[in-house]
Amino acid sequence: MPSSKSCNEQTGLSAQRAAVIAELAIASGPRVVTGHDVRAQHANTLTWIASELPDAVVFAESVDDAVKVVRVAGRHRVPIIAFGSGTSLEGHVNAPFGGISIDMSRMNRIVAVNAADHDAVVEAGVTREQLNDHLRDTGLFFSVDPGAANATLGGMAATRASGTNTVRYGTMRDNVLSLRAVMANGEIITTAGRARKSAAGYDLTHLLIGSEGTLGIIVELSVRLHPRLEAEFAAVCEFPSVSAAATCAMESIQSGCCLSRIELLDDVMLRVTASAGAFPASNCGAALFVSVEGTQRAADEHMQIFACLVTAHGGKVAGIAASQSDRDRIWKARHDAFWSLRNSWPGQAYVVTDVCVPISCLATCIAETTVDATRLGLTAPVLGHVGDGNFHAIAVIDPNDSGARGRLDQFLKNLSTRAIAIGGTCTGEHGIGQGKAYAMPGEFGPALDVMRQIKSALDPMGILNPGKIFPKDAPQDVQGAE
Ligand SMILES: Cc1cc2nc3c(=O)[nH]c(=O)nc-3n(C[C@H](O)[C@H](O)[C@H](O)COP(=O)(O)OP(=O)(O)OC[C@H]3O[C@@H](n4cnc5c(N)ncnc54)[C@H](O)[C@@H]3O)c2cc1C
């Protein structure tokens, strides 16, 4: 588990770090901030992981700014932590060795929309909502929609993010065509063109996607866009139990039913989500929120097929939203479910788990996880992108309960071990950061050494977001111990 404070917080800045900050301040002026509140905001983990502040924050406004930060910090071997919106959940933006947080949110220009090719070129700080607002009149949209609406596309690529639409449109892995990035040596690379496919050389685009700021700073992305379809329904379906809902989700995917979203909420998550007022509260055991899209005829047909499966599992379609505003209300409520939970139980700590398993194992994995939570005396309501086999059991912990931490650690370990043992992963979408590094050896075995070799080849001094992804990764060369 990470320590609670970076050493620079405890002992003050070294002359060397002060020199880096001074050099950056000469180059970037007021965009270099050393005030405590801004540094704290750039290490806010939103969760149980203690914050570890950077020494300074630089607000990049251009590719040149990013290059400058990498070159100056690199020359002094000071860590650089890329920052998008800070919505990641595993201590990704923490600075365990101090260093420079490079905030990319001001690099938020939409460079080009190539409507005929169904793609767009954007700077890394563009958010998915900003891009979709921009596309409103084009008949196209960008599909990846993590629950945090203000996540940046750079951060989403760096965490290989996904969302409610992934069951139909894929993750960031499927929706990024090419990246422009500043590498650890300050060189700018472009990983590919805008072609839909390429068989040329190593796939650097997909190497950087999911690299969590440890291999390069993404400054620009070419992303795929999708046409909006003629008809869409959204429905809330109620079930007697989580197991019935999960089995229905599994069978609907296996049957080829053409859903564009299928999200599970257990009874607790359903109640707290309903409290926001988007749909009526219900006493059922679980719910599936679904969307079906297509031509009018196809959407009608697939909604009917899905409704038959719901009935077969003892559920009922409680309401169908056909208008855009009703659909938006339902999906906003689902996206805000985490905040609704926090509002319902203020003052608690929240640990959002994120395993993903083969779809045929989903119902059993959720059931075993719930039994384990009860056995360990933990409250851990469940929601998730179940069409992908991905679910979140959100452990709600009383920060004043000293025994809870040990039970929580056991729960987390059991959950990732369970998922990995059945061919799944410890994280479907949130990434590793600091919080899940412990699970990497179990998930990858010797392949983790290959990842380490890639990291050392591309970032030999270990300056890019050190202390993430790899367990106990404290690169020798980084100037951390002051
Ligand atoms: C309420 C809530 C719901 C969420 N729901 C989902 C969900 O449904 N699906 C999902 O996938 N995630 C979800 N998340 C997690 C989070 O939103 C994603 O991980 C998101 O992709 C992070 O984007 P960001 O811009 O906030 O990145 P940050 O948190 O700022 O950074 C995340 C990581 O990416 C690196 N990084 C950021 N920008 C760059 C860059 N330009 N170049 C290189 N590295 C960079 C950082 O160093 C860090 O390691 C949720 C979070 C919250 C709070």
Side-chain angles (χ1 to χ4, degrees), residues 141-143 145 164-169 226-235 256-261 290-303 306 321 324 327-328 331:
F141 75 107
F142 176 70
S143 61
D145 64 335
T164 62
N165 277 313
T166 290
V167 65
R168 175 157 188 165
Y169 295 101
H226 300 274
R228 291 203 178 274
L229 299 177
E230 179 190 347
E232 181 183 349
F233 298 119
C257 184
C258 201
L259 300 165
S260 49
R261 288 164 154 165
V290 295
S291 257
V292 182
E293 294 174 339
T295 59
Q296 189 68 52
R297 192 165 151 197
D300 283 343
E301 234 170 62
H302 284 277
M303 193 65 224
F306 181 70
Q324 185 65 50
R327 286 197 298 271
D328 288 349
W331 288 114

Coordinates of all heavy atoms in Angstrom, one line a residue, residues 141-143 145 164-169 226-235 256-261 290-303 306 321 324 327-328 331:
F141 N -20.9 10.6 -33.6 CA -20.6 10.8 -32.2 C -19.3 9.9 -31.8 O -19.0 9.0 -32.6 CB -21.8 10.4 -31.3 CG -22.0 8.9 -31.2 CD1 -21.7 8.2 -30.0 CD2 -22.6 8.2 -32.2 CE1 -22.0 6.9 -29.8 CE2 -22.8 6.8 -32.1 CZ -22.5 6.2 -30.9
F142 N -18.7 10.3 -30.7 CA -17.6 9.6 -30.2 C -18.2 8.7 -29.1 O -18.9 9.2 -28.2 CB -16.5 10.5 -29.6 CG -15.4 9.8 -29.0 CD1 -14.5 9.1 -29.7 CD2 -15.3 9.8 -27.6 CE1 -13.5 8.4 -29.1 CE2 -14.2 9.1 -27.0 CZ -13.3 8.4 -27.7
S143 N -17.9 7.4 -29.2 CA -18.7 6.4 -28.4 C -18.2 6.2 -27.0 O -19.0 5.8 -26.1 CB -18.7 5.1 -29.1 OG -17.4 4.6 -29.3
D145 N -17.6 6.3 -23.3 CA -18.3 7.2 -22.3 C -18.1 6.7 -20.9 O -19.0 6.2 -20.2 CB -19.8 7.2 -22.6 CG -20.5 5.9 -22.5 OD1 -19.8 4.8 -22.6 OD2 -21.7 5.9 -22.2
T164 N -20.4 2.6 -21.0 CA -21.6 1.9 -21.2 C -21.8 1.4 -22.7 O -22.5 0.4 -22.9 CB -22.8 2.7 -20.8 OG1 -22.9 3.8 -21.6 CG2 -22.7 3.1 -19.3
N165 N -21.2 2.1 -23.6 CA -21.4 1.8 -25.0 C -20.4 0.7 -25.5 O -20.5 0.3 -26.7 CB -21.0 3.0 -25.9 CG -22.2 4.0 -26.0 OD1 -23.3 3.5 -26.2 ND2 -22.0 5.2 -25.8
T166 N -19.5 0.3 -24.7 CA -18.4 -0.6 -25.1 C -18.9 -1.9 -25.7 O -18.3 -2.5 -26.6 CB -17.4 -0.8 -24.0 OG1 -16.8 0.4 -23.8 CG2 -16.4 -1.9 -24.2
V167 N -20.0 -2.4 -25.1 CA -20.5 -3.7 -25.6 C -20.8 -3.7 -27.1 O -20.6 -4.7 -27.8 CB -21.8 -4.1 -24.8 CG1 -22.9 -3.1 -25.0 CG2 -22.2 -5.5 -25.0
R168 N -21.1 -2.5 -27.6 CA -21.3 -2.4 -29.1 C -20.1 -1.7 -29.8 O -19.8 -2.2 -30.9 CB -22.6 -1.6 -29.4 CG -22.8 -1.4 -30.9 CD -24.2 -1.1 -31.2 NE -24.3 -1.1 -32.7 CZ -25.5 -1.2 -33.3 NH1 -26.6 -1.3 -32.6 NH2 -25.6 -1.1 -34.6
Y169 N -19.6 -0.7 -29.2 CA -18.6 0.1 -30.0 C -17.2 0.0 -29.6 O -16.3 0.5 -30.2 CB -19.0 1.6 -29.9 CG -20.3 1.9 -30.5 CD1 -21.5 2.1 -29.7 CD2 -20.4 2.1 -31.9 CE1 -22.7 2.4 -30.3 CE2 -21.7 2.4 -32.5 CZ -22.8 2.6 -31.7 OH -24.0 2.9 -32.2
H226 N -18.7 7.5 -34.9 CA -19.7 6.5 -35.4 C -21.0 7.3 -35.8 O -21.3 8.3 -35.1 CB -20.1 5.5 -34.2 CG -18.9 4.7 -33.8 ND1 -18.5 3.6 -34.4 CD2 -18.0 4.9 -32.8 CE1 -17.4 3.1 -33.8 NE2 -17.1 3.9 -32.9
P227 N -21.7 6.8 -36.8 CA -22.9 7.5 -37.2 C -24.0 7.2 -36.1 O -24.1 6.1 -35.6 CB -23.3 6.8 -38.5 CG -22.5 5.6 -38.6 CD -21.4 5.7 -37.6
R228 N -24.8 8.2 -35.9 CA -26.0 8.0 -35.0 C -27.0 7.2 -35.8 O -27.3 7.4 -36.9 CB -26.6 9.3 -34.5 CG -25.7 10.1 -33.6 CD -26.4 11.0 -32.7 NE -25.5 11.7 -31.8 CZ -25.2 11.2 -30.6 NH1 -25.7 10.1 -30.2 NH2 -24.4 11.8 -29.8
L229 N -27.6 6.2 -35.1 CA -28.6 5.3 -35.8 C -30.0 5.9 -35.7 O -30.3 6.8 -34.9 CB -28.5 3.9 -35.3 CG -27.1 3.3 -35.4 CD1 -27.0 2.0 -34.8 CD2 -26.7 3.3 -36.9
E230 N -30.8 5.3 -36.6 CA -32.2 5.9 -36.8 C -33.0 5.8 -35.5 O -33.7 6.7 -35.2 CB -32.8 5.1 -37.9 CG -34.2 5.5 -38.3 CD -34.9 4.4 -39.2 OE1 -34.2 3.6 -39.8 OE2 -36.1 4.5 -39.3
A231 N -33.0 4.7 -34.8 CA -33.9 4.5 -33.7 C -33.1 4.0 -32.5 O -32.1 3.3 -32.6 CB -34.9 3.5 -34.1
E232 N -33.5 4.4 -31.3 CA -32.9 3.9 -30.1 C -34.0 3.9 -29.0 O -34.8 4.8 -28.8 CB -31.8 4.9 -29.6 CG -31.1 4.4 -28.4 CD -30.0 5.4 -27.8 OE1 -29.7 6.3 -28.6 OE2 -29.6 5.1 -26.7
F233 N -33.9 2.7 -28.3 CA -34.8 2.6 -27.1 C -33.8 2.5 -25.9 O -32.8 1.9 -26.0 CB -35.6 1.4 -27.1 CG -36.6 1.3 -28.2 CD1 -36.5 0.2 -29.1 CD2 -37.6 2.2 -28.3 CE1 -37.4 0.2 -30.2 CE2 -38.5 2.1 -29.3 CZ -38.4 1.1 -30.3
A234 N -34.3 3.0 -24.7 CA -33.6 2.7 -23.5 C -34.6 2.1 -22.5 O -35.8 2.6 -22.6 CB -33.0 4.0 -22.9
A235 N -34.3 1.1 -21.8 CA -35.3 0.5 -20.9 C -34.6 0.2 -19.6 O -33.5 -0.1 -19.5 CB -35.8 -0.8 -21.5
G256 N -26.7 -13.1 -29.3 CA -26.5 -12.2 -30.4 C -27.5 -11.1 -30.4 O -27.5 -10.3 -31.4
C257 N -28.2 -10.9 -29.3 CA -29.2 -9.8 -29.3 C -28.4 -8.5 -29.4 O -27.4 -8.3 -28.6 CB -29.9 -9.9 -27.9 SG -31.2 -8.6 -27.8
C258 N -28.8 -7.6 -30.2 CA -28.0 -6.4 -30.6 C -28.2 -5.3 -29.7 O -28.9 -4.3 -30.0 CB -28.4 -6.0 -32.0 SG -27.1 -5.1 -32.8
L259 N -27.6 -5.4 -28.5 CA -27.7 -4.3 -27.5 C -26.5 -3.3 -27.6 O -25.4 -3.8 -27.9 CB -27.7 -4.9 -26.1 CG -28.8 -5.9 -25.8 CD1 -28.5 -6.7 -24.5 CD2 -30.1 -5.2 -25.6
S260 N -26.8 -2.0 -27.4 CA -25.7 -1.1 -27.4 C -25.2 -0.8 -26.0 O -24.1 -0.2 -25.8 CB -26.0 0.1 -28.2 OG -27.2 0.7 -27.8
R261 N -26.1 -1.1 -25.0 CA -25.7 -0.9 -23.6 C -26.4 -1.9 -22.8 O -27.6 -2.2 -23.1 CB -26.1 0.5 -23.1 CG -25.3 1.7 -23.7 CD -26.0 3.0 -23.5 NE -25.1 4.1 -23.4 CZ -25.5 5.4 -23.5 NH1 -26.7 5.7 -23.6 NH2 -24.6 6.3 -23.4
V290 N -30.8 -1.0 -20.3 CA -30.3 -1.4 -21.6 C -30.6 -0.3 -22.7 O -31.6 0.5 -22.5 CB -30.9 -2.7 -22.1 CG1 -30.5 -3.9 -21.2 CG2 -32.4 -2.7 -22.2
S291 N -29.9 -0.4 -23.7 CA -30.2 0.4 -24.9 C -30.1 -0.5 -26.1 O -29.3 -1.4 -26.2 CB -29.2 1.5 -25.2 OG -29.7 2.8 -24.7
V292 N -31.1 -0.3 -27.1 CA -31.1 -1.0 -28.3 C -31.1 0.1 -29.4 O -31.9 1.0 -29.3 CB -32.3 -1.9 -28.4 CG1 -32.3 -2.7 -29.7 CG2 -32.4 -2.8 -27.2
E293 N -30.2 -0.1 -30.4 CA -30.2 0.9 -31.5 C -30.2 0.2 -32.9 O -29.7 -0.9 -33.0 CB -28.8 1.6 -31.5 CG -28.5 2.5 -30.3 CD -27.1 3.0 -30.4 OE1 -26.3 2.5 -31.1 OE2 -26.9 4.0 -29.7
G294 N -30.6 0.9 -33.9 CA -30.6 0.4 -35.2 C -31.5 1.1 -36.1 O -32.0 2.2 -35.8
T295 N -31.9 0.4 -37.2 CA -33.1 0.9 -37.9 C -34.3 0.7 -37.1 O -34.2 -0.1 -36.1 CB -33.3 0.1 -39.2 OG1 -33.5 -1.2 -38.9 CG2 -32.1 0.2 -40.2
Q296 N -35.4 1.4 -37.4 CA -36.6 1.3 -36.5 C -36.9 -0.2 -36.4 O -37.2 -0.7 -35.3 CB -37.7 2.1 -37.1 CG -38.9 2.2 -36.2 CD -38.6 3.1 -35.0 OE1 -38.2 4.2 -35.1 NE2 -38.9 2.5 -33.8
R297 N -36.9 -0.9 -37.5 CA -37.3 -2.3 -37.5 C -36.4 -3.2 -36.7 O -36.8 -4.0 -35.9 CB -37.4 -2.8 -39.0 CG -38.1 -4.1 -39.1 CD -38.4 -4.3 -40.5 NE -38.5 -5.7 -40.8 CZ -38.4 -6.3 -41.9 NH1 -38.3 -5.6 -43.0 NH2 -38.4 -7.6 -42.0
A298 N -35.1 -3.0 -36.9 CA -34.1 -3.8 -36.1 C -34.2 -3.5 -34.6 O -34.2 -4.4 -33.8 CB -32.7 -3.5 -36.6
A299 N -34.4 -2.2 -34.3 CA -34.5 -1.9 -32.8 C -35.7 -2.5 -32.2 O -35.6 -3.1 -31.1 CB -34.5 -0.3 -32.7
D300 N -36.8 -2.4 -32.9 CA -38.1 -3.0 -32.4 C -37.9 -4.5 -32.2 O -38.2 -5.1 -31.1 CB -39.2 -2.9 -33.5 CG -39.8 -1.5 -33.4 OD1 -39.6 -0.8 -32.5 OD2 -40.4 -1.1 -34.4
E301 N -37.3 -5.2 -33.2 CA -37.1 -6.6 -33.2 C -36.2 -7.0 -32.0 O -36.6 -7.9 -31.2 CB -36.4 -7.1 -34.4 CG -37.1 -8.2 -35.2 CD -36.4 -8.3 -36.6 OE1 -35.3 -8.7 -36.6 OE2 -37.1 -8.1 -37.6
H302 N -35.1 -6.3 -31.8 CA -34.1 -6.7 -30.8 C -34.7 -6.4 -29.4 O -34.4 -7.1 -28.4 CB -32.8 -6.1 -31.0 CG -32.0 -6.8 -32.1 ND1 -31.3 -8.0 -31.9 CD2 -32.0 -6.6 -33.5 CE1 -30.8 -8.4 -33.1 NE2 -31.2 -7.6 -34.0
M303 N -35.5 -5.3 -29.3 CA -36.1 -5.0 -28.0 C -37.1 -6.1 -27.6 O -37.1 -6.5 -26.5 CB -36.8 -3.7 -28.1 CG -37.2 -3.1 -26.8 SD -35.8 -2.6 -25.7 CE -36.4 -3.3 -24.2
F306 N -35.1 -9.2 -26.5 CA -34.6 -8.9 -25.1 C -35.7 -9.0 -24.1 O -35.5 -9.7 -23.0 CB -33.8 -7.6 -25.1 CG -33.3 -7.3 -23.7 CD1 -32.1 -8.1 -23.3 CD2 -33.8 -6.4 -22.8 CE1 -31.6 -7.9 -22.0 CE2 -33.3 -6.2 -21.6 CZ -32.2 -6.9 -21.2
A321 N -37.9 4.1 -22.6 CA -37.8 5.5 -22.9 C -37.5 5.6 -24.4 O -36.5 5.2 -24.9 CB -36.6 6.1 -22.1
Q324 N -35.5 11.2 -26.7 CA -34.0 11.5 -26.4 C -33.9 12.0 -25.0 O -33.0 11.6 -24.3 CB -33.5 12.5 -27.4 CG -32.0 12.8 -27.3 CD -31.2 11.6 -27.7 OE1 -31.4 10.9 -28.7 NE2 -30.2 11.2 -26.8
R327 N -34.2 9.2 -22.5 CA -33.0 8.3 -22.5 C -31.8 9.0 -21.9 O -31.1 8.4 -21.1 CB -32.6 8.0 -24.0 CG -33.6 7.0 -24.7 CD -32.9 6.5 -25.9 NE -32.6 7.5 -26.9 CZ -33.4 7.9 -27.9 NH1 -34.6 7.3 -27.9 NH2 -33.1 8.8 -28.7
D328 N -31.7 10.3 -22.1 CA -30.5 11.0 -21.5 C -30.7 11.0 -20.0 O -29.7 10.9 -19.3 CB -30.5 12.5 -22.0 CG -30.1 12.6 -23.5 OD1 -29.6 11.6 -24.0 OD2 -30.2 13.7 -24.1
W331 N -29.6 7.6 -18.7 CA -28.1 7.3 -18.8 C -27.3 8.2 -17.9 O -26.3 7.9 -17.4 CB -27.7 7.2 -20.2 CG -28.2 6.0 -20.9 CD1 -29.1 5.9 -21.9 CD2 -27.9 4.6 -20.5 NE1 -29.4 4.6 -22.1 CE2 -28.7 3.8 -21.3 CE3 -27.1 4.1 -19.5 CZ2 -28.6 2.4 -21.2 CZ3 -27.0 2.7 -19.4 CH2 -27.8 1.9 -20.2

